Amino acid sequence: MTQNTTPVTTQAAPSTPSGQDSWWRHAVIYQIYVRSFADSDGDGIGDLRGARERLPYLAELGVDAVWLTPFYASPQADGGYDVADYRAVDPLFGDLQDADDLVREAHRLGLRVIVDIVPNHTSDRHAWFREALGDRPGGAARARYHFRPGRGAHGELPPNDWESVFGGPAWTRTDGGDGEWYLHLFAPEQPDLNWENPEVAAEFASILRFWLDLGVDGFRVDVAHGMVKAPGLPDIGRKEQAKLIGAQVLPFFDQDGVHAIHRSWRRLLDSYDGERIGVAEAWAPTAERLALYVRPDELHQAFNFHFLTCPWDAAEMREVIDASLESTGSVGAPATWVLSNHDVVRHTTRYGGGERGGRRARAAALLMLALPGSAYVYQGEELGLPEVVDLPDAVRQDPAFFRGDGQDGTRDGCRVPIPWEGAEAPYGFGPAGSWLPQPAEWGALSVAAQSGDPRSTLELYRSALALRRRLPGLGDGPMSWRTDVPEGVLAFSRPGFVCTLNTLGEEVELPVPGRPVLATAPLEFTGGTVRLPAETCVWWELR
C-alpha cells in the first residue's frame, strides 16, 4: 500500500440535473470486467486504454455509469482481487495515466466511474504481508493480519474449523520456524486483514482519498460483509463449505462491526464535492440484514443477490421484489437489481439456456429495468451472451477450480472476452487472441452483428434504456402490483406506466393496459385484449 504515485485531479463528474433525485438512486451501472472487455495492445488481455476507447459504445447504450473490476498491481492469483499495491495500476492493464485518461473521457461522455476496492484481504505479495512473514509472533506487522498458533500437540492443526470460500481450510501455516497460521477466507494468496487494527483503517482511508482525488465517483466494496470477524474467531462447530452468496450464518460474515467501517467511509465520501458513492458487495441471510448496509449514514447501495438467485417463478419473483423494496425502503435507500456478474453463471444459461434461456433473459431484463431503483448490467448481457460451459481445463484460471473440495470453479465461463465484430475470434476484442477462448458461434452475437437489428437483444437494451430516461415513471419511485392478471403473470403499475411479465410456458390473454412501447416478442391484439406470448415482458405507456 505504499504511496508511490500521485494522481492528477480530473474534471468533475456529470452533475445531477436540477430538481432530480440523487443520480445513484435511479442509475443503470455497467460492469466492465477489465481483462475481458477490450484489449488495446494485442496481449490478449483487456486493459484500461481498450476500455476507454469503447466508452462511446456505453454512452450510446444509455447507461449512467461504469464499474471497473480491479486493475491494481497484482500477481493475478484471483483475477486481480489479490492486490499488491492499491495505488498502482498493474502493467497488464496500463498505468496510472491510463486510469486518469479513462476517468476524464468517461466524464466527458456523461458517464460516472466506480472502481473496485478490496478491503477484506491483500495479496500475499503485498509489502505488509511480506513484512509480516518475517515478523515474530505477536509483532506489529503480523497484527495487521490474522496470525494464530495452531492447535494440536505441535501446532499442526488449523486454529479453528473455518473453511475457505474457495475450498479447504481457511488457514495456511507459515514456513517460518514459529509454525503460526494465517487466515484467508479465499485463496491462500489472499490473507485477510485485521480491521481491529487502526493501521488498517487509516491506510484504507488514505487509499480511498487517493482515487477520489483522481476523480472517481465511488467504490464497489468487495466482500463488504466479511471485513470483521467474531471475537475470538470461534469454531463453527461443523464442517461446512463457506459460500460467498448464501444464507449461512457464519462468524466471519455479516458481523455487526462492519457497519462502523462503512459509516466512516460514508463520512469520507460525503466530504468530497459531487455525489461519490459506496456500493456494498454484501451478502446477508435476510433482506432485513442487508438493509443495514444502506442506512442513511452508511453505504449508498448494496447488491441484491436475492433477486439474482431467484428462480424463474412468478410467485418467488414477487416475494423477492416485495422483500427487497420493503427492506431498503425502511431505511430510505433505493433497491438495486442485478441478473449477472463476474462471479455467477450468466442468466441466459441459468434460465435454461438455448432459445428458452434467451427468451427468459430478455424478459427478465425488461422486468429489472422497470423496477424502482438502480440496475446493474454485466458486460455482454446486453448481447444475450450465454455461459461458456466447455472451456478446456488447461485454460481455466478460477482458483476455486483447482481446489478439489471447493466450489464448482465455473467463474471463468462468464469471463470470456465479449465479441465486438467480425465472424472469427477474437471478434474485435483486440489485435490478437483472447486470454480465454471465445465460442465459434459468437460472431452472430457481436455488437456489430446486432446493431440495427430491431429483433436483437442489444437493440432491446438500447430501447429500454432510452425509454427509462424518457418515461418519468421509471427509475426510483413508487410501484403497485396489479391483480387483474392470471397466475404466472406479474404486472405492476408505475406513474404513467405498466409492466407485464408472462413467466408461463404458454401464451395468456390480458386486457390491454395501455399503449405498448416495448416488448420482447411480437404481440397479437383482439379488440381490447392482447395475447402475451410465453415468457414475454411488455412495457405499456398510459395516456
Side-chain angles (χ1 to χ4, degrees), residues 275-327:
E275 293 188 285
R276 318 289 183 100
I277 72 168
V279 182
E281 185 216 22
W283 181 261
T286 65
E288 291 75 20
R289 288 289 299 180
L290 186 63
L292 300 179
Y293 291 81
V294 289
R295 287 177 286 192
D297 62 343
E298 293 198 32
L299 300 180
H300 299 75
Q301 295 181 346
F303 287 133
N304 189 345
F305 293 122
H306 293 277
F307 182 73
L308 182 150
T309 58
C310 183
W312 184 261
D313 178 86
E316 293 194 50
M317 286 177 172
R318 176 167 176 169
E319 183 178 347
V320 166
I321 292 168
D322 282 341
S324 301
L325 293 173
E326 181 179 358
S327 61

Side-chain angles (χ1 to χ4, degrees), residues 39 108 119 138 331 403-404 411 416 455 459 531:
D39 170 26
R108 187 186 72 80
V331 294
R403 296 175 70 109
R411 295 185 301 167
V416 175
R455 300 166 299 177
E459 293 298 344
R531 293 181 181 177

Side-chain angles (χ1 to χ4, degrees), residues 41-200:
D41 58 13
D43 64 356
I45 297 174
D47 47 48
L48 292 177
R49 189 172 71 177
R52 174 174 57 82
E53 291 170 350
R54 294 291 188 177
L55 287 177
Y57 162 75
L58 299 180
E60 180 188 1
L61 182 63
V63 300
D64 302 292
V66 297
W67 151 33
L68 300 168
T69 54
F71 48 80
Y72 313 112
S74 166
Q76 304 296 318
D78 183 25
Y81 284 91
D82 51 316
V83 181
D85 189 339
Y86 290 82
R87 297 182 182 88
V89 173
D90 194 284
L92 276 175
F93 306 123
D95 56 28
L96 192 63
Q97 187 61 55
D98 290 316
D100 188 79
D101 289 345
L102 187 151
V103 174
R104 285 177 178 271
E105 178 65 5
H107 289 172
R108 187 186 72 80
L109 293 169
L111 299 169
R112 288 177 168 86
V113 179
I114 296 168
V115 297
D116 244 305
I117 195 70
V118 187
N120 179 72
H121 48 263
T122 70
S123 165
D124 63 349
R125 309 280 184 87
H126 190 282
W128 272 10
F129 193 71
R130 291 200 305 268
E131 183 184 358
L133 289 178
D135 197 12
R136 69 185 191 283
R142 290 201 173 184
R144 298 165 177 153
Y145 295 89
H146 295 279
F147 280 84
R148 295 289 187 277
R151 297 193 289 195
H154 305 287
E156 72 277 8
L157 300 176
N160 64 25
D161 62 1
W162 294 2
E163 293 284 305
S164 160
V165 172
F166 289 162
W171 296 89
T172 289
R173 199 173 192 182
T174 66
D175 293 331
D178 56 73
E180 281 204 317
W181 299 69
Y182 68 88
L183 176 68
H184 53 85
L185 293 182
F186 296 88
E189 296 87 354
Q190 296 168 288
D192 277 48
L193 287 161
N194 175 17
W195 272 87
E196 294 182 7
N197 187 325
E199 275 192 86
V200 175

Side-chain angles (χ1 to χ4, degrees), residues 218-343:
F219 302 93
R220 177 262 193 189
V221 184
D222 186 61
V223 196
H225 60 304
M227 298 154 69
V228 171
K229 282 67 176 172
L233 310 185
D235 281 337
I236 297 172
R238 61 190 183 279
K239 183 176 176 62
E240 182 176 2
Q241 174 64 51
K243 295 180 176 62
L244 184 61
I245 300 177
Q248 298 160 302
V249 177
L250 298 167
F252 47 79
F253 280 163
D254 193 37
Q255 298 295 303
D256 288 341
V258 301
H259 298 290
I261 301 170
H262 300 323
R263 282 192 289 273
S264 71
W265 285 13
R266 178 60 179 263
R267 290 192 295 272
L268 193 158
L269 290 165
D270 287 348
S271 71
Y272 277 77
D273 291 336
E275 293 188 285
R276 318 289 183 100
I277 72 168
V279 182
E281 185 216 22
W283 181 261
T286 65
E288 291 75 20
R289 288 289 299 180
L290 186 63
L292 300 179
Y293 291 81
V294 289
R295 287 177 286 192
D297 62 343
E298 293 198 32
L299 300 180
H300 299 75
Q301 295 181 346
F303 287 133
N304 189 345
F305 293 122
H306 293 277
F307 182 73
L308 182 150
T309 58
C310 183
W312 184 261
D313 178 86
E316 293 194 50
M317 286 177 172
R318 176 167 176 169
E319 183 178 347
V320 166
I321 292 168
D322 282 341
S324 301
L325 293 173
E326 181 179 358
S327 61
T328 56
S330 69
V331 294
T336 65
W337 313 102
V338 59
L339 293 167
S340 285
N341 64 33
H342 65 291
D343 283 330

